[in-house]
Amino acid sequence: MVQNIRRMHSPAFKAKVALEALKETKTIAELASTYSVHSTQITKWKKQALDILTLGFGSGQKQRDKDDRELVQELYQQIGRLKVEIDFLKKKMGIFE
């Protein structure tokens, strides 16, 4: 009985193969033979690499930057409210700095 042993590839290996596939200097079949990986796996890694690159250049980064700015603004407002509350409580309790 033959057992299927699943091979695990490092992210660096996947990136290397995907980059070769993106260059298109060799066919997918040639890359599959060279790296001993199934051609559908190389095609999948190539698509993932393109998706990642597209996100890096797309509006996804702009949205994350906007979300970060909004979060920072909200946190500063919360800090301001808490500082006012602390100052009020110190005054009520008679604690002065």
Side-chain angles (χ1 to χ4, degrees), residues 11-36:
F13 177 78
K14 293 176 185 179
K16 179 181 175 181
V17 175
L19 186 59
E20 287 290 323
L22 288 170
K23 288 180 185 177
E24 295 183 349
T25 55
K26 294 182 180 178
T27 66
I28 298 293
E30 290 172 330
L31 293 173
S33 176
T34 302
Y35 293 107
S36 300

mmCIF file of all heavy atoms in Angstrom, residues 11-36:
data_model
loop_
_atom_site.group_PDB
_atom_site.id
_atom_site.type_symbol
_atom_site.label_atom_id
_atom_site.label_comp_id
_atom_site.label_asym_id
_atom_site.label_seq_id
_atom_site.Cartn_x
_atom_site.Cartn_y
_atom_site.Cartn_z
ATOM 1 N N PRO A 11 7.738 29.349 2.230
ATOM 2 C CA PRO A 11 7.288 30.533 1.496
ATOM 3 C C PRO A 11 8.351 31.041 0.509
ATOM 4 O O PRO A 11 8.015 31.516 -0.574
ATOM 5 C CB PRO A 11 7.026 31.559 2.603
ATOM 6 C CG PRO A 11 6.710 30.736 3.803
ATOM 7 C CD PRO A 11 7.568 29.506 3.671
ATOM 8 N N ALA A 12 9.613 30.931 0.880
ATOM 9 C CA ALA A 12 10.685 31.376 -0.009
ATOM 10 C C ALA A 12 10.712 30.542 -1.288
ATOM 11 O O ALA A 12 10.887 31.079 -2.391
ATOM 12 C CB ALA A 12 12.031 31.298 0.706
ATOM 13 N N PHE A 13 10.517 29.232 -1.154
ATOM 14 C CA PHE A 13 10.486 28.351 -2.317
ATOM 15 C C PHE A 13 9.292 28.690 -3.210
ATOM 16 O O PHE A 13 9.420 28.793 -4.435
ATOM 17 C CB PHE A 13 10.425 26.883 -1.881
ATOM 18 C CG PHE A 13 10.322 25.917 -3.017
ATOM 19 C CD1 PHE A 13 11.441 25.583 -3.765
ATOM 20 C CD2 PHE A 13 9.103 25.341 -3.340
ATOM 21 C CE1 PHE A 13 11.344 24.686 -4.827
ATOM 22 C CE2 PHE A 13 8.995 24.444 -4.398
ATOM 23 C CZ PHE A 13 10.119 24.119 -5.142
ATOM 24 N N LYS A 14 8.129 28.889 -2.590
ATOM 25 C CA LYS A 14 6.934 29.228 -3.353
ATOM 26 C C LYS A 14 7.133 30.537 -4.113
ATOM 27 O O LYS A 14 6.755 30.659 -5.285
ATOM 28 C CB LYS A 14 5.722 29.351 -2.430
ATOM 29 C CG LYS A 14 5.294 28.042 -1.800
ATOM 30 C CD LYS A 14 4.148 28.280 -0.836
ATOM 31 C CE LYS A 14 3.767 27.023 -0.097
ATOM 32 N NZ LYS A 14 2.668 27.261 0.852
ATOM 33 N N ALA A 15 7.734 31.517 -3.439
ATOM 34 C CA ALA A 15 7.982 32.811 -4.075
ATOM 35 C C ALA A 15 8.939 32.667 -5.248
ATOM 36 O O ALA A 15 8.741 33.276 -6.302
ATOM 37 C CB ALA A 15 8.536 33.797 -3.052
ATOM 38 N N LYS A 16 9.962 31.865 -5.072
ATOM 39 C CA LYS A 16 10.945 31.643 -6.133
ATOM 40 C C LYS A 16 10.282 31.031 -7.358
ATOM 41 O O LYS A 16 10.480 31.501 -8.490
ATOM 42 C CB LYS A 16 12.066 30.729 -5.619
ATOM 43 C CG LYS A 16 13.126 30.402 -6.625
ATOM 44 C CD LYS A 16 14.169 29.474 -6.004
ATOM 45 C CE LYS A 16 15.192 29.036 -7.030
ATOM 46 N NZ LYS A 16 16.188 28.135 -6.464
ATOM 47 N N VAL A 17 9.482 29.991 -7.143
ATOM 48 C CA VAL A 17 8.804 29.320 -8.259
ATOM 49 C C VAL A 17 7.781 30.259 -8.906
ATOM 50 O O VAL A 17 7.694 30.353 -10.138
ATOM 51 C CB VAL A 17 8.147 28.006 -7.785
ATOM 52 C CG1 VAL A 17 7.344 27.360 -8.903
ATOM 53 C CG2 VAL A 17 9.198 27.045 -7.248
ATOM 54 N N ALA A 18 7.025 30.979 -8.083
ATOM 55 C CA ALA A 18 6.020 31.907 -8.615
ATOM 56 C C ALA A 18 6.682 33.005 -9.440
ATOM 57 O O ALA A 18 6.177 33.391 -10.497
ATOM 58 C CB ALA A 18 5.208 32.512 -7.476
ATOM 59 N N LEU A 19 7.818 33.498 -8.977
ATOM 60 C CA LEU A 19 8.541 34.534 -9.709
ATOM 61 C C LEU A 19 9.013 34.012 -11.064
ATOM 62 O O LEU A 19 8.895 34.705 -12.077
ATOM 63 C CB LEU A 19 9.726 35.036 -8.883
ATOM 64 C CG LEU A 19 10.489 36.225 -9.449
ATOM 65 C CD1 LEU A 19 9.572 37.420 -9.626
ATOM 66 C CD2 LEU A 19 11.642 36.582 -8.535
ATOM 67 N N GLU A 20 9.515 32.799 -11.071
ATOM 68 C CA GLU A 20 9.918 32.180 -12.337
ATOM 69 C C GLU A 20 8.719 32.050 -13.279
ATOM 70 O O GLU A 20 8.836 32.291 -14.478
ATOM 71 C CB GLU A 20 10.534 30.801 -12.094
ATOM 72 C CG GLU A 20 11.915 30.839 -11.498
ATOM 73 C CD GLU A 20 12.955 31.362 -12.476
ATOM 74 O OE1 GLU A 20 12.871 31.055 -13.685
ATOM 75 O OE2 GLU A 20 13.851 32.098 -12.033
ATOM 76 N N ALA A 21 7.575 31.694 -12.717
ATOM 77 C CA ALA A 21 6.367 31.556 -13.537
ATOM 78 C C ALA A 21 5.919 32.915 -14.077
ATOM 79 O O ALA A 21 5.470 33.018 -15.220
ATOM 80 C CB ALA A 21 5.245 30.909 -12.722
ATOM 81 N N LEU A 22 6.066 33.951 -13.258
ATOM 82 C CA LEU A 22 5.684 35.296 -13.698
ATOM 83 C C LEU A 22 6.604 35.814 -14.803
ATOM 84 O O LEU A 22 6.168 36.558 -15.679
ATOM 85 C CB LEU A 22 5.683 36.266 -12.510
ATOM 86 C CG LEU A 22 4.552 36.099 -11.507
ATOM 87 C CD1 LEU A 22 4.805 36.945 -10.267
ATOM 88 C CD2 LEU A 22 3.228 36.477 -12.143
ATOM 89 N N LYS A 23 7.860 35.435 -14.755
ATOM 90 C CA LYS A 23 8.810 35.865 -15.785
ATOM 91 C C LYS A 23 8.449 35.302 -17.149
ATOM 92 O O LYS A 23 8.749 35.912 -18.174
ATOM 93 C CB LYS A 23 10.226 35.417 -15.416
ATOM 94 C CG LYS A 23 10.851 36.176 -14.284
ATOM 95 C CD LYS A 23 12.243 35.639 -14.024
ATOM 96 C CE LYS A 23 12.889 36.262 -12.816
ATOM 97 N NZ LYS A 23 14.214 35.675 -12.550
ATOM 98 N N GLU A 24 7.845 34.115 -17.161
ATOM 99 C CA GLU A 24 7.417 33.427 -18.373
ATOM 100 C C GLU A 24 8.568 33.141 -19.333
ATOM 101 O O GLU A 24 8.390 33.124 -20.550
ATOM 102 C CB GLU A 24 6.296 34.205 -19.072
ATOM 103 C CG GLU A 24 5.034 34.279 -18.246
ATOM 104 C CD GLU A 24 3.889 34.989 -18.935
ATOM 105 O OE1 GLU A 24 4.110 35.623 -19.989
ATOM 106 O OE2 GLU A 24 2.768 34.915 -18.415
ATOM 107 N N THR A 25 9.767 32.918 -18.802
ATOM 108 C CA THR A 25 10.885 32.508 -19.647
ATOM 109 C C THR A 25 10.852 31.007 -19.902
ATOM 110 O O THR A 25 11.421 30.541 -20.877
ATOM 111 C CB THR A 25 12.239 32.883 -19.006
ATOM 112 O OG1 THR A 25 12.309 32.326 -17.705
ATOM 113 C CG2 THR A 25 12.397 34.391 -18.926
ATOM 114 N N LYS A 26 10.180 30.282 -19.010
ATOM 115 C CA LYS A 26 9.987 28.849 -19.163
ATOM 116 C C LYS A 26 8.494 28.562 -19.069
ATOM 117 O O LYS A 26 7.752 29.310 -18.429
ATOM 118 C CB LYS A 26 10.707 28.065 -18.060
ATOM 119 C CG LYS A 26 12.210 28.160 -18.082
ATOM 120 C CD LYS A 26 12.801 27.313 -16.969
ATOM 121 C CE LYS A 26 14.320 27.392 -16.966
ATOM 122 N NZ LYS A 26 14.882 26.610 -15.863
ATOM 123 N N THR A 27 8.078 27.463 -19.654
ATOM 124 C CA THR A 27 6.671 27.077 -19.547
ATOM 125 C C THR A 27 6.406 26.517 -18.147
ATOM 126 O O THR A 27 7.335 26.153 -17.417
ATOM 127 C CB THR A 27 6.310 26.004 -20.590
ATOM 128 O OG1 THR A 27 7.031 24.803 -20.291
ATOM 129 C CG2 THR A 27 6.618 26.476 -22.000
ATOM 130 N N ILE A 28 5.139 26.460 -17.803
ATOM 131 C CA ILE A 28 4.744 25.893 -16.511
ATOM 132 C C ILE A 28 5.200 24.437 -16.428
ATOM 133 O O ILE A 28 5.672 23.985 -15.380
ATOM 134 C CB ILE A 28 3.212 26.014 -16.307
ATOM 135 C CG1 ILE A 28 2.767 27.476 -16.294
ATOM 136 C CG2 ILE A 28 2.772 25.307 -15.032
ATOM 137 C CD1 ILE A 28 3.256 28.287 -15.112
ATOM 138 N N ALA A 29 5.104 23.725 -17.531
ATOM 139 C CA ALA A 29 5.525 22.318 -17.549
ATOM 140 C C ALA A 29 7.028 22.196 -17.282
ATOM 141 O O ALA A 29 7.464 21.299 -16.545
ATOM 142 C CB ALA A 29 5.176 21.683 -18.881
ATOM 143 N N GLU A 30 7.811 23.089 -17.861
ATOM 144 C CA GLU A 30 9.252 23.069 -17.621
ATOM 145 C C GLU A 30 9.565 23.377 -16.159
ATOM 146 O O GLU A 30 10.423 22.740 -15.542
ATOM 147 C CB GLU A 30 9.964 24.080 -18.532
ATOM 148 C CG GLU A 30 9.979 23.702 -19.989
ATOM 149 C CD GLU A 30 10.521 24.806 -20.878
ATOM 150 O OE1 GLU A 30 10.374 25.997 -20.541
ATOM 151 O OE2 GLU A 30 11.095 24.457 -21.927
ATOM 152 N N LEU A 31 8.858 24.350 -15.603
ATOM 153 C CA LEU A 31 9.062 24.690 -14.188
ATOM 154 C C LEU A 31 8.657 23.527 -13.290
ATOM 155 O O LEU A 31 9.336 23.243 -12.294
ATOM 156 C CB LEU A 31 8.272 25.950 -13.825
ATOM 157 C CG LEU A 31 8.739 27.250 -14.470
ATOM 158 C CD1 LEU A 31 7.770 28.376 -14.168
ATOM 159 C CD2 LEU A 31 10.144 27.607 -14.007
ATOM 160 N N ALA A 32 7.566 22.872 -13.630
ATOM 161 C CA ALA A 32 7.107 21.720 -12.848
ATOM 162 C C ALA A 32 8.159 20.628 -12.839
ATOM 163 O O ALA A 32 8.434 20.025 -11.795
ATOM 164 C CB ALA A 32 5.792 21.201 -13.411
ATOM 165 N N SER A 33 8.765 20.409 -13.968
ATOM 166 C CA SER A 33 9.818 19.399 -14.062
ATOM 167 C C SER A 33 11.065 19.828 -13.292
ATOM 168 O O SER A 33 11.671 19.035 -12.566
ATOM 169 C CB SER A 33 10.164 19.157 -15.529
ATOM 170 O OG SER A 33 11.241 18.261 -15.633
ATOM 171 N N THR A 34 11.441 21.085 -13.438
ATOM 172 C CA THR A 34 12.641 21.602 -12.778
ATOM 173 C C THR A 34 12.526 21.547 -11.257
ATOM 174 O O THR A 34 13.458 21.136 -10.566
ATOM 175 C CB THR A 34 12.906 23.066 -13.217
ATOM 176 O OG1 THR A 34 13.050 23.097 -14.630
ATOM 177 C CG2 THR A 34 14.152 23.614 -12.553
ATOM 178 N N TYR A 35 11.374 21.973 -10.733
ATOM 179 C CA TYR A 35 11.205 22.080 -9.281
ATOM 180 C C TYR A 35 10.467 20.891 -8.663
ATOM 181 O O TYR A 35 10.200 20.891 -7.458
ATOM 182 C CB TYR A 35 10.471 23.382 -8.937
ATOM 183 C CG TYR A 35 11.292 24.611 -9.241
ATOM 184 C CD1 TYR A 35 10.989 25.429 -10.321
ATOM 185 C CD2 TYR A 35 12.385 24.954 -8.449
ATOM 186 C CE1 TYR A 35 11.738 26.562 -10.601
ATOM 187 C CE2 TYR A 35 13.140 26.080 -8.720
ATOM 188 C CZ TYR A 35 12.818 26.873 -9.797
ATOM 189 O OH TYR A 35 13.573 27.991 -10.067
ATOM 190 N N SER A 36 10.105 19.905 -9.465
ATOM 191 C CA SER A 36 9.381 18.710 -8.994
ATOM 192 C C SER A 36 8.108 19.085 -8.248
ATOM 193 O O SER A 36 7.830 18.611 -7.141
ATOM 194 C CB SER A 36 10.285 17.859 -8.100
ATOM 195 O OG SER A 36 11.424 17.443 -8.790
#
